[in-house]
């Protein structure tokens, strides 16, 4: 065997491998690297025990352990969020004085709604279908807002949600009213222009 040459059975020249090199004996893998033996997983790394997931990870882990969901404090489940658990505001309840104001507003809104529905029915009987239908639609919309306002006073646990529903319906009522008013003004302007044009032509033709 020439001087400095590796002995037979040891092609690497320094005793590796076998015994501790890579591979075999202790490198990666086998023997202790990752995996197996102690890396991740198994043996002691993450997971299991504290990583993400499971166990703990970032501030408690998501999931399981405490994050969202399951656990405590997340959204959902729980109480107070929007939604679920209490609707807007987490179940805020108006006080007695506030309920009196809301109840009075609901009463007047329902009165106006009934008047509009009656006017609409009369207009329909008089063959004014467009005006009658608009009045009926506005009355029904306003009556729905009055019902939601009454629910704020008569129920518990969802006052803000009922109030938001009422405001949406009142907004719909105003929208219908504004659109119908603009249409009426436009028609009136067209009629006025038409009448004016007829008068001008009549004067010119003389």
């Amino acid at each position: 065997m020439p001087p400095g040459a590796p002995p037979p059975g040891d092609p690497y020249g320094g005793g590796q491998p076998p015994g501790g090199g890579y591979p075999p004996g202790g490198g990666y893998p086998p023997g202790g690297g990752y995996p197996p033996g102690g890396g991740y997983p198994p043996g002691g790394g993450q997971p299991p025990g504290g990583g993400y997931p499971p166990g703990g990870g970032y501030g408690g882990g998501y999931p399981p352990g405490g994050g969202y969901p399951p656990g405590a404090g997340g959204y959902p489940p729980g109480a107070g969020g929007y939604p679920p658990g209490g609707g807007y505001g987490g179940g805020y309840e108006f006080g007695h004085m506030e309920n009196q104001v809301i109840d009075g507003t609901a009463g007047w809104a329902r009165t106006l709604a009934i008047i509009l529905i009656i006017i609409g029915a009369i207009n329909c009987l008089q063959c004014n279908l467009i005006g009658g239908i608009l009045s009926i639609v506005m009355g029904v919309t306003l009556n729905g807002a009055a019902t939601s306002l009454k629910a704020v006073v008569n129920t518990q646990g969802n006052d803000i949600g009922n109030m938001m529903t009422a405001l949406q319906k009142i907004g719909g009522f105003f929208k219908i009213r504004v659109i119908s008013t603009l249409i009426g003004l436009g028609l009136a302007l067209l009629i006025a222009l038409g009448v004016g044009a007829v008068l001008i032509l009549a004067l010119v033709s003389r």
Side-chain angles (χ1 to χ4, degrees), residues 111-203:
T111 302
L112 180 58
I114 294 172
I115 293 173
L116 288 172
I117 292 172
I118 293 173
I119 293 174
I122 294 172
N123 287 334
C124 289
L125 292 175
Q126 294 176 348
C127 298
N128 183 10
L129 295 179
I130 296 178
I133 292 172
L134 283 174
S135 294
I136 291 173
V137 170
M138 287 191 296
V140 171
T141 303
L142 193 58
N143 185 66
T147 301
S148 297
L149 290 174
K150 282 287 187 181
V152 174
V153 178
N154 298 328
T155 63
Q156 293 183 350
N158 195 27
D159 277 5
I160 303 300
N162 289 325
M163 179 63 74
M164 294 301 298
T165 302
L167 290 175
Q168 288 175 350
K169 293 177 181 178
I170 292 173
F173 168 81
F174 287 139
K175 185 184 296 183
I176 295 171
R177 184 60 184 172
V178 168
I179 292 173
S180 62
T181 301
L182 291 176
I183 292 174
L185 288 175
L187 292 174
L189 180 61
L190 290 175
I191 293 172
L193 290 175
V195 172
V198 170
L199 292 174
I200 291 173
L201 289 175
L203 291 174

Side-chain angles (χ1 to χ4, degrees), residues 27-97:
Y28 164 84
Y34 164 84
Y40 164 82
Q46 299 194 58
Y52 166 84
Y58 302 95
Y62 164 81
Y68 156 77
Y75 162 78
Y82 160 72
Y88 300 84
Y92 173 80
E93 288 292 317
F94 290 106
H96 177 68
M97 297 297 294

